[in-house]
């Protein structure tokens, strides 16, 4: 089992920055690829960014590329999402997720999920 707890969400204005963190506990964190997803009201959960076990391979969806950066610290069992230049359309609940092996864009591929953290961006 892997337990995931997100933090760092909040209410900000357009153009501001937030840093989300996801703390993992349980099995060996470095065995897992990690992903950040988000879900806005009435919309499907969408893939935001992914990172492989070492942090050497990352992927950012086009709608956040250049604004968001995923990173991980295996010594601290954390994965982070630095979000800059936030837009109102970034408003959603953000979830981190873990899957054995490398990251995937498909939310059904992930075995473990955090409870989510709300990000609200006002215009």
């Amino acid at each position: 089992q892997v337990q995931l707890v997100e933090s760092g969400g909040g209410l900000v204005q357009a153009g501001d920055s937030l840093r989300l963190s996801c703390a993992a506990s349980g099995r060996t964190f470095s065995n897992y690829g990690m992903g950040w997803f988000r879900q806005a009201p009435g919309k499907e959960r969408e893939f935001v960014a992914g990172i492989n076990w070492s942090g050497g391979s990352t992927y950012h969806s086009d709608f956040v590329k250049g604004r968001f950066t995923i990173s991980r610290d295996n010594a601290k069992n954390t994965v982070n999402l630095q979000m800059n230049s936030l837009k109102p359309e970034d408003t959603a609940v953000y979830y981190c997720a873990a899957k054995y092996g490398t990251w995937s864009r498909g939310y059904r591929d992930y075995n473990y999920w955090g409870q989510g953290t709300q990000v609200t961006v006002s215009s």
Side-chain angles (χ1 to χ4, degrees):
Q1 285 279 14
V2 175
Q3 292 79 41
L4 303 172
V5 179
E6 302 97 335
S7 61
L11 171 63
V12 297
Q13 293 187 331
D16 287 350
S17 298
L18 278 175
R19 183 177 178 85
L20 304 184
S21 291
C22 175
S25 61
R27 299 199 175 199
T28 306
F29 179 63
S30 59
N31 287 342
Y32 291 83
M34 302 297 295
W36 281 99
F37 290 78
R38 69 186 187 185
Q39 188 165 19
K43 294 188 177 181
E44 289 193 356
R45 191 166 298 192
E46 62 181 356
F47 176 72
V48 176
I51 190 166
N52 75 333
W53 69 274
S54 69
S57 172
T58 62
Y59 179 88
H60 299 80
S61 291
D62 287 345
F63 53 83
V64 302
K65 198 169 292 183
R67 300 189 298 125
F68 293 11
T69 303
I70 190 171
S71 62
R72 69 188 293 162
D73 185 338
N74 286 343
K76 297 181 178 179
N77 285 2
T78 58
V79 60
N80 302 303
L81 186 68
Q82 178 66 42
M83 306 187 297
N84 299 328
S85 302
L86 282 161
K87 304 176 181 180
E89 51 263 44
D90 294 319
T91 295
V93 178
Y94 284 71
Y95 300 89
C96 72
K99 66 177 292 291
Y100 195 81
T102 193
W103 59 269
S104 166
R105 279 178 280 185
Y107 71 86
R108 292 183 177 90
D109 295 332
Y110 288 79
N111 308 105
Y112 305 103
W113 292 84
Q115 82 289 349
T117 185
Q118 177 71 47
V119 171
T120 304
V121 185
S122 64
S123 56

